[in-house]
Amino acid sequence: MSGSALGQPNPTAILFFFVFIALTLGITYWAARRTRSTEEFYAAGRSISGFQNGLALAGDYMSAASFLGIAGLVALSGFDGLLYSIGFLVGWPVVMFLVAEPLRNLGKYTFADVVAYRLRQAPVRSAAAVSTLVVVTLYLIAQMVGAGNLIKLLFGLSYEWAVVLVGVVMLAYVLFGGMVATTWVQIVKAVLLLSGAFLLALLVLVRYGLNPLSLFQDAAAKYGEQVLAPGGLVANPIDTLSLGLALMLGTAGLPHILMRFYTVPDARAARTSVSWATLFIGFFYLLTFVLGFGAMTLVGRDPIRAIDKGGNMAAPLLAEALGGTAFLGFISAVAFATILAVVAGLTLSGAAALSHDLWVNVVRQGKAPEKEQLAVARIATLLLGIVAILLGIAFKGQNVAFTVGLAFAIAASGNLPAIVYSVFWRKFTTAGAVGAILVGTLSAVILIYLSPTVQVDILKHASPIFPLKNPGIVSIPLGFLAGYLFSLLSQEKEAEERYREVERRVHLGGD
Amino acid sequence: MSKDQLEQLVQARWRIALALTGAMLAIYLGFFLLVAYAKGAMGTQIVPGLSWGIFLGVLVILTAWVLNGIYVRWANRYYDEAIRQLKEVRG
């Protein structure tokens, strides 16, 4: 580890970090005064503009896994890492065409509002809450473990303290400031991340006469032409395809992303926000091409591996190589802000499933007074925050990178079929919705358990029971098939009769 | 009368949405299939430094922007206006 300041307390990082915390807590204080109803707590009073929500969506979506993980993957395996960049982006047009506007017009706080609209509330919402909590938990595990490791490496703080710190600050945002604070934290984070990544990419390109092709050429000269070609990661074509499908279709089923469409005033603003989000996120992923190859050529593969075998420190090391300790500090603080913001968004969506879906609509059958709803929402938030901290500590030292892929697979297999059927298909029934969500979710979870990732890498068995690492290619069709078959086998007259109402509301809006 | 108009609009909306979704899915899966089954060709460089894989990858991202743009343009110009008229008729 020749001369990197990584792992030692970095004054610039700590300074930027405190500025970010002070700024976001200031926002939270301001937001707390505006958070007096459930509509404000869950949906920021529907007052966020399309452009703002576009930035916030980008903030929610661009996790540390994208920034640090993909840059590292590209640095160590070249072209293959880009497949993640591309896969994570192409989900957004699907959100745009099929999900964003109907969701905004038909629902209130959670995606279960849409699925349960003309169906029986209790079973549909219970199933949706289960899949939401599974997705949120898996996503949280990856973020919390990432936070612990990252902060330990970046600031020299112990793993446990880092996890507790992230949990507590995040809870302050969500508990007091609800969706208003969470949204603005996402916006601040997105601006920081986009400008940090842009600056870093610019510094790389300046070394190559602002020509990315010279950069790629240099990478090929140093590490062989195969870095520009598909390689080992795509050894099994079916597995690659399966991963690709889950990445593309999962985005449109992620609860914390879907929830953001309720923060805008109308369907047109929902449309505008996806448009901006796709632009920002695409731009960011194009930058990862430059960051990854830049780290490969300017830092070198061996120094990157020496600090972290998975390559996660490629981007911070690149920042240090090009801008010194101060820039490393800035990029480290940005990475931290990135994790905090994603964890806040996840926690809020999990809390909405617990309180709005399970407590208010199942236990209290929709008859809870406003005051009780808000109190339960906050209790659920606190509960999830504690769970997040415990998960972070429990999974210390585990390789949990696969949990994000699994979260996408479940979102694509369980949630997306239910949403699509409920908007498009007159004959969709309660049994169909519950079937799609549970079969999709369970099959994805079971297949991951039987996959090489768990059987061979974690449990050290000689061979896996299911050959693929990514369940999507099987579990997504299973989710759709279950929704179809269960609906055919059960008839629900009322749901069919109310389809016209759904259609009107989806297109004409609620008022 | 407005019932039929809504029905027509709904059909147009979903035709466009499904066509664009299908286009995105086909382009993306096509790209993944090329990556999986035509590794050699994807590694060939068009000009020094630019392999077919990287070129097509960037193109997929740009296509996502373009497809979004097509939809937004249609929806902002035609769909929103038609919805506004329908709402007016209904009072």
Side-chain angles (χ1 to χ4, degrees):
Chain A
M1 304 187 196
S2 54
S4 169
L6 263 177
Q8 289 143 24
N10 176 331
T12 331
I14 294 170
L15 177 75
F16 277 118
F17 171 68
F18 275 111
V19 169
F20 177 77
I21 299 281
L23 177 70
T24 48
L25 287 180
I27 290 173
T28 306
Y29 177 75
W30 162 79
R33 303 158 144 241
R34 296 181 37 176
T35 306
R36 300 187 190 284
S37 67
T38 42
E39 187 164 69
E40 282 151 345
F41 187 81
Y42 291 127
R46 327 231 183 252
S47 62
I48 306 295
S49 77
F51 176 73
Q52 290 164 347
N53 195 41
L55 268 175
L57 281 166
D60 241 334
Y61 197 66
M62 300 180 299
S63 63
S66 314
F67 179 46
L68 303 176
I70 294 180
L73 212 52
V74 175
L76 296 185
S77 44
F79 174 83
D80 288 356
L82 301 177
L83 294 177
Y84 283 88
S85 297
I86 297 161
F88 279 127
L89 182 78
V90 291
W92 283 93
V94 180
V95 175
M96 170 78 103
F97 306 144
L98 300 182
V99 175
E101 294 170 55
L103 206 73
R104 172 61 192 80
N105 277 340
L106 205 53
K108 207 171 160 198
Y109 303 136
T110 61
F111 86 85
D113 291 338
V114 172
V115 183
Y117 190 86
R118 62 191 158 110
L119 306 176
R120 292 210 307 282
Q121 298 287 319
V124 174
R125 286 190 188 267
S126 306
V130 168
S131 79
T132 299
L133 290 172
V134 174
V135 170
V136 166
T137 306
L138 288 166
Y139 222 116
L140 271 177
I141 291 175
Q143 299 298 322
M144 293 307 276
V145 172
N149 289 331
L150 176 70
I151 292 163
K152 196 172 141 203
L153 266 173
L154 295 176
F155 299 91
L157 202 65
S158 89
Y159 178 93
E160 284 80 6
W161 275 113
V163 167
V164 171
L165 186 70
V166 168
V168 170
V169 176
M170 170 279 285
L171 269 178
Y173 299 153
V174 183
L175 216 46
F176 300 112
M179 185 53 110
V180 181
T182 305
T183 301
W184 284 99
V185 169
Q186 303 292 7
I187 292 175
V188 171
K189 166 257 176 104
V191 171
L192 277 176
L193 183 56
L194 284 168
S195 45
F198 177 68
L199 207 62
L200 191 51
L202 200 64
L203 287 177
V204 171
L205 287 178
V206 164
R207 298 275 184 109
Y208 290 98
L210 291 178
N211 181 359
L213 298 190
S214 315
L215 165 65
F216 300 152
Q217 245 177 308
D218 188 31
K222 281 184 173 135
Y223 293 96
E225 295 199 340
Q226 70 273 13
V227 298
L228 306 178
L233 274 189
V234 290
N236 180 345
I238 306 286
D239 219 347
T240 311
L241 203 64
S242 187
L243 170 72
L245 270 177
L247 293 183
M248 179 173 184
L249 299 175
T251 306
L254 290 175
H256 64 299
I257 296 295
L258 298 177
M259 193 177 177
R260 294 224 53 87
F261 293 114
Y262 299 125
T263 64
V264 295
D266 51 30
R268 189 182 173 118
R271 183 189 308 148
T272 315
S273 61
V274 190
S275 207
W276 282 113
T278 313
L279 207 64
F280 291 132
I281 295 167
F283 176 64
F284 174 76
Y285 284 133
L286 286 175
L287 292 178
T288 59
F289 284 48
V290 174
L291 298 184
F293 281 107
M296 186 194 292
T297 58
L298 299 173
V299 180
R301 281 179 167 174
D302 290 336
I304 294 174
R305 271 201 208 97
I307 295 222
D308 177 81
K309 259 191 273 172
N312 286 317
M313 290 301 123
L317 283 170
L318 181 64
E320 189 180 28
L322 296 176
T325 319
F327 198 48
L328 166 68
F330 174 67
I331 290 294
S332 304
V334 168
F336 192 9
T338 292
I339 294 185
L340 259 179
V342 173
V343 171
L346 285 167
T347 303
L348 187 54
S349 68
L354 275 176
S355 54
H356 176 67
D357 289 330
L358 278 186
W359 179 262
V360 175
N361 281 298
V362 175
V363 177
R364 303 281 275 151
Q365 300 180 330
K367 291 187 200 93
E370 171 74 17
K371 220 173 169 177
E372 177 188 320
Q373 293 193 26
L374 195 58
V376 174
R378 290 204 154 112
I379 294 170
T381 305
L382 191 63
L383 211 70
L384 271 168
I386 295 169
V387 168
I389 293 173
L390 293 179
L391 284 172
I393 293 173
F395 283 88
K396 180 183 178 179
Q398 303 280 329
N399 183 359
V400 293
F402 73 95
T403 57
V404 169
L406 177 55
F408 271 80
I410 294 176
S413 320
N415 300 351
L416 184 66
I419 297 171
V420 168
Y421 281 136
S422 63
V423 174
F424 285 89
W425 192 27
R426 188 184 301 274
K427 293 184 182 300
F428 193 44
T429 68
T430 302
V434 174
I437 293 174
L438 292 186
V439 169
T441 304
L442 280 178
S443 60
V445 172
I446 292 170
L447 288 177
I448 268 275
Y449 180 75
L450 302 177
S451 77
T453 317
V454 172
Q455 294 291 320
V456 179
D457 298 352
I458 295 176
L459 299 176
K460 312 286 178 205
H461 292 165
S463 64
I465 299 167
F466 177 70
L468 302 178
K469 288 182 178 167
N470 304 288
I473 204 163
V474 177
S475 62
I476 297 170
L478 273 182
F480 276 99
L481 194 68
Y484 180 69
L485 289 180
F486 281 76
S487 294
L488 283 190
L489 292 174
S490 63
Q491 291 214 341
E492 209 168 321
K493 235 180 147 202
E494 200 199 329
E496 210 177 318
E497 280 163 4
R498 288 188 63 196
Y499 182 69
R500 173 153 276 278
E501 185 187 328
V502 166
E503 224 173 28
R504 243 197 327 264
R505 221 182 137 103
V506 161
H507 297 277
L508 297 176
D511 26 56
Chain B
M1 173 184 159
S2 69
K3 244 184 190 174
D4 296 331
Q5 277 176 341
L6 177 64
E7 208 52 51
Q8 275 174 11
L9 190 61
V10 168
Q11 277 175 15
R13 161 77 170 84
W14 294 133
R15 254 203 309 275
I16 289 201
L18 287 177
L20 290 172
T21 307
M24 189 72 252
L25 196 66
I27 289 165
Y28 174 62
L29 290 185
F31 173 72
F32 255 68
L33 286 173
L34 280 175
V35 168
Y37 290 102
K39 283 189 195 182
M42 294 294 268
T44 323
Q45 293 177 35
I46 308 168
V47 292
L50 185 66
S51 65
W52 275 102
I54 292 183
F55 174 70
L56 292 178
V58 172
L59 215 57
V60 172
I61 292 186
L62 298 182
T63 311
W65 285 347
V66 170
L67 293 181
N68 263 357
I70 293 173
Y71 172 74
V72 170
R73 213 179 141 87
W74 175 80
N76 283 354
R77 286 191 174 185
Y78 175 74
Y79 175 77
D80 282 355
E81 176 60 22
I83 291 286
R84 198 185 59 74
Q85 282 177 7
L86 268 180
K87 276 184 176 170
E88 245 169 40
V89 172
R90 284 155 179 262

